[in-house]
Amino acid sequence: MPLSASFPDLTALDLYASVVELGSLGRAAKMHGIAQPSASSRIRNLERQLGVKLLDRSARGSTPTPEGIVVSGWTDAILRAAHDLEAGLEALKAEQSGRLRIAASYTIAEYLLPTWLGRFAREHPRDTVALDVENSTHVLSELERGEADLGFIETPLKTPSMKEQIVGHDQLVAVVPPEHPWATRTSIDMTELAETPLVMREKGSGTREALEQALTDAGHGAPVSVLELGSTSAVRSAVLSGNSPTVISRLAVASELADGQLVEVEVENLKIERDLRAVWPAKKPLPKLAVALLADLS
Amino acid sequence: MPLSASFPDLTALDLYASVVELGSLGRAAKMHGIAQPSASSRIRNLERQLGVKLLDRSARGSTPTPEGIVVSGWTDAILRAAHDLEAGLEALKAEQSGRLRIAASYTIAEYLLPTWLGRFAREHPRDTVALDVENSTHVLSELERGEADLGFIETPLKTPSMKEQIVGHDQLVAVVPPEHPWATRTSIDMTELAETPLVMREKGSGTREALEQALTDAGHGAPVSVLELGSTSAVRSAVLSGNSPTVISRLAVASELADGQLVEVEVENLKIERDLRAVWPAKKPLPKLAVALLADLS
DNA sequence: GCATGCCATAGACTATAGCTATGACCTCAA
DNA sequence: TTGAGGTCATAGCTATAGTCTATGGCATGC
């Protein structure tokens, strides 16, 4: 389902957010480095596209209408996500020239690092960070080969030659869409989970390994897949638009659980908790920037 | 802090998401109603703007590179927020012609209704919904005057002439940025909260009333404000970039709490829980569409 | 009454994104 | 091996939409 053709430009939303914050079109225009009439026309255009009057204009400035306040909440959410993309991307791009080289697993890179790096970048505007996204095993080998300074992993792999610091926690949870029969059950048992076909990541992914481990440890067979997908967000989309359960990182579905698009199903005796860990080679001293980043997180 | 000037267009991100989903530029182009070369050029442009190679193109289609997969996760987050805006907006715009007229308070309208209405719109594509955003008291009077069919409120107001259904729960929590001294405390007591200047909504808002009520009920004075702002998202931004605490709806800061941009502070003996309720006039029969919407939520 | 903000309008310019038509390449099957 | 049916890329044209500068109107406040 593509976005409506007349969906406004992100730069227009960004400009509108600045107008709300600064209280005037002209000031917002200056902050964005454009002329005042351009800002006026962009906002007018935005109102036309949205079909809503956003601002009360007066000789003393512009303040949002009641509708404008509500819209402002929605646009803020979009802009936050956009800034996450920017922060993550800047780290990805710094690859070649970067001073602090980070290697992280997918879940951490997608859901946590953009925020952490965004804050870090504001506090250290002159420094660059390079981000390499790999699976957890590969993160460790990059660290050993000296190709990265600091790693973030989410699996309970043994790391004898590494120092580590716990930077958060994650949990695998079983989720279904609200229409699924499980959504109204108080809990299901592990046998039922093991016998029900699930949407899953491909074999070898950390999430899937953890689930298989937990099930076989409890004497059950390996889980059955109804569909295998190559990324966590693909799994989430599939569950949202289909009617099969999955077992997935709670971080990846936090907002869907909050607004009821997905429902968490308790599985008896199944607790898959994972520490999110920062790791680095024990033999090398930790670079100063890495120390600063870790201090931010503790 | 405005967005980077070269930030890609949302339509390009949307197109990219479709390419990842469908596995081919041409199919994605068709889905978006543009010609294949246009899609090719837009994606090429997107890669140039982001500075990252997103797709491996081959004669059998296009699949995302490892970096592309990560970027896809970030763009999905942006697009989800954009769809929320679309859903909420469509309801706002339907005002004049709408069949089902909804009146909701700010928090529910901003954080929950877009998702609910998005799902509802997919299931009832021929029907329209109008959304009016007011404070809770005004929602009730709109219902009584027959200007709305269904209301959503978050305050414990008495509603003798209304029927109601609980559709969720919210909780007011005290939050601070991670640098604030409270962030490392296990808990603070209510006296300390009452004496510390807070960032707050303006007098008369539901959130502020609830906090004042809870404090005076416990024998404390009214809370002191260091800054008063007109919307919940303005309060959130102020706390994120300043160094003062606030007491705010957990829904409004769910993602900031999840990724550590804000820290929840436990306040001893302070529990401000609020039922989120759908309400409608007892004397009139509930319109069929309203029944359908409520069924979705239960 | 005049200066100083604010926002809106007008007209010229430019850049960009879209289209159609075509070409190059790969894969699969006859 | 050759042709059919996919894939994506390139070229050249056009139209649109966004930008700027210059100006004007309108409140507010000294």
Side-chain angles (χ1 to χ4, degrees):
Chain A
M1 40 194 154
L3 222 46
S4 136
S6 74
F7 198 89
D9 197 339
L10 260 188
T11 59
L13 300 183
D14 194 22
L15 180 64
Y16 173 60
S18 298
V19 173
V20 172
E21 187 185 349
L22 301 173
S24 131
L25 282 175
R27 275 202 292 276
K30 191 175 292 176
M31 168 174 258
H32 285 244
I34 61 176
Q36 172 266 321
S38 306
S40 175
S41 122
R42 282 230 289 241
I43 295 291
R44 181 163 294 284
N45 224 322
L46 179 63
E47 287 179 317
R48 194 179 48 73
Q49 288 174 318
L50 299 183
V52 167
K53 179 158 177 280
L54 297 174
L55 293 177
D56 278 327
R57 295 147 172 88
S58 86
R60 271 207 319 287
S62 300
T63 54
T65 62
E67 293 86 8
I69 293 180
V70 183
V71 171
S72 158
W74 294 326
T75 58
D76 281 356
I78 302 180
L79 293 171
R80 267 200 304 281
H83 279 116
D84 278 357
L85 169 63
E86 252 193 341
L89 211 56
E90 189 161 333
L92 269 186
K93 280 196 307 192
E95 189 87 35
Q96 43 277 43
S97 61
R99 294 261 326 277
L100 175 60
R101 297 161 304 166
I102 293 180
S105 65
Y106 284 87
T107 307
I108 298 181
E110 278 190 31
Y111 296 100
L112 297 175
L113 273 181
T115 313
W116 294 347
L117 294 180
R119 180 154 37 128
F120 184 77
R122 278 197 298 281
E123 290 167 7
H124 303 80
R126 318 259 329 165
D127 299 311
T128 56
V129 178
L131 172 61
D132 217 351
V133 184
E134 316 275 357
N135 65 43
S136 294
T137 342
H138 204 265
V139 166
L140 293 176
S141 67
E142 282 216 343
L143 287 170
E144 269 159 14
R145 286 201 306 275
E147 292 168 5
D149 304 312
L150 185 63
F152 290 91
I153 58 176
E154 67 221 18
T155 48
L157 288 174
K158 293 275 175 275
T159 52
S161 62
M162 302 276 166
K163 293 193 179 173
E164 62 178 57
Q165 174 180 324
I166 292 181
V167 294
H169 303 275
D170 191 21
Q171 199 181 4
L172 296 190
V173 293
V175 299
V176 293
E179 304 80 39
H180 191 278
W182 287 3
T184 50
R185 301 266 297 273
T186 54
S187 75
I188 61 169
D189 63 28
M190 237 192 281
T191 316
E192 200 165 355
L193 181 69
E195 288 170 355
T196 305
L198 306 173
V199 181
M200 285 202 275
R201 286 286 300 280
E202 80 284 2
K203 219 163 172 52
S205 83
T207 308
R208 179 154 177 179
E209 301 265 310
L211 175 61
E212 291 182 348
Q213 187 70 42
L215 286 180
T216 51
D217 280 1
H220 297 276
V224 193
S225 69
V226 62
L227 181 62
E228 298 199 356
L229 296 165
S231 78
T232 302
S233 43
V235 170
R236 180 186 51 220
S237 312
V239 174
L240 279 170
S241 57
N243 200 22
S244 295
T246 192
V247 172
I248 194 172
S249 157
R250 167 170 270 131
L251 274 174
V253 291
S255 75
E256 285 77 11
L257 290 175
D259 62 24
Q261 286 192 89
L262 291 176
V263 178
E264 180 176 346
V265 181
E266 192 189 323
V267 182
E268 279 168 26
N269 301 320
L270 186 70
K271 271 253 158 54
I272 312 180
E273 304 242 346
R274 306 189 290 182
D275 289 334
L276 307 178
R277 290 179 293 163
V279 295
W280 62 94
K283 52 188 168 194
K284 278 189 279 186
L286 195 54
K288 223 176 58 188
L289 279 180
V291 175
L293 176 59
L294 285 179
D296 266 7
L297 304 181
S298 62
Chain B
M1 44 198 153
L3 221 47
S4 137
S6 74
F7 198 90
D9 196 341
L10 261 186
T11 57
L13 300 183
D14 195 22
L15 180 64
Y16 172 60
S18 298
V19 173
V20 171
E21 186 185 350
L22 301 173
S24 131
L25 282 174
R27 275 201 294 276
K30 191 174 294 176
M31 168 175 257
H32 285 246
I34 62 176
Q36 171 267 321
S38 307
S40 174
S41 122
R42 280 230 294 240
I43 295 290
R44 180 164 295 283
N45 226 322
L46 178 63
E47 288 179 317
R48 193 179 49 73
Q49 289 174 319
L50 299 183
V52 168
K53 179 159 178 279
L54 296 174
L55 294 177
D56 279 326
R57 296 148 171 87
S58 84
R60 272 206 319 288
S62 301
T63 53
T65 62
E67 291 87 8
I69 293 180
V70 183
V71 171
S72 158
W74 293 327
T75 59
D76 281 355
I78 302 180
L79 292 171
R80 268 200 304 280
H83 278 117
D84 278 357
L85 169 63
E86 253 194 341
L89 212 56
E90 189 161 332
L92 269 185
K93 280 196 308 190
E95 189 87 34
Q96 43 274 43
S97 60
R99 295 260 327 276
L100 175 60
R101 295 161 305 166
I102 292 179
S105 65
Y106 285 86
T107 307
I108 298 181
E110 279 189 32
Y111 296 101
L112 297 175
L113 274 181
T115 312
W116 294 346
L117 294 180
R119 183 158 32 134
F120 184 77
R122 280 196 298 281
E123 290 167 6
H124 302 80
R126 319 258 327 163
D127 298 311
T128 56
V129 178
L131 173 60
D132 217 350
V133 184
E134 315 276 357
N135 65 44
S136 294
T137 341
H138 204 266
V139 166
L140 293 176
S141 67
E142 282 216 343
L143 287 170
E144 267 159 15
R145 285 202 306 276
E147 292 168 6
D149 304 311
L150 186 61
F152 290 91
I153 59 176
E154 67 220 18
T155 48
L157 289 173
K158 292 276 174 277
T159 53
S161 62
M162 302 276 166
K163 293 191 180 175
E164 63 179 57
Q165 173 180 324
I166 293 180
V167 294
H169 303 277
D170 191 20
Q171 198 180 4
L172 295 190
V173 293
V175 299
V176 293
E179 304 80 39
H180 192 278
W182 287 2
T184 50
R185 302 266 298 273
T186 54
S187 75
I188 62 169
D189 65 27
M190 236 193 278
T191 317
E192 199 164 356
L193 181 68
E195 287 169 356
T196 304
L198 306 173
V199 180
M200 286 202 276
R201 284 287 299 279
E202 79 285 2
K203 218 163 174 51
S205 82
T207 309
R208 178 155 176 179
E209 302 266 310
L211 175 61
E212 291 182 348
Q213 186 71 44
L215 287 180
T216 52
D217 280 0
H220 297 275
V224 192
S225 70
V226 63
L227 182 62
E228 299 199 356
L229 295 165
S231 78
T232 301
S233 43
V235 170
R236 181 187 49 220
S237 314
V239 174
L240 280 170
S241 56
N243 200 23
S244 294
T246 192
V247 172
I248 195 172
S249 156
R250 167 169 270 131
L251 274 174
V253 291
S255 75
E256 284 78 11
L257 290 175
D259 62 24
Q261 284 192 92
L262 291 176
V263 177
E264 180 176 348
V265 180
E266 193 187 325
V267 182
E268 280 169 26
N269 301 319
L270 185 70
K271 270 252 159 54
I272 311 179
E273 304 241 347
R274 306 189 290 182
D275 288 334
L276 306 177
R277 290 178 293 162
V279 294
W280 62 93
K283 52 188 169 194
K284 277 189 280 187
L286 194 55
K288 222 176 59 193
L289 279 180
V291 175
L293 176 58
L294 284 179
D296 265 7
L297 304 181
S298 61

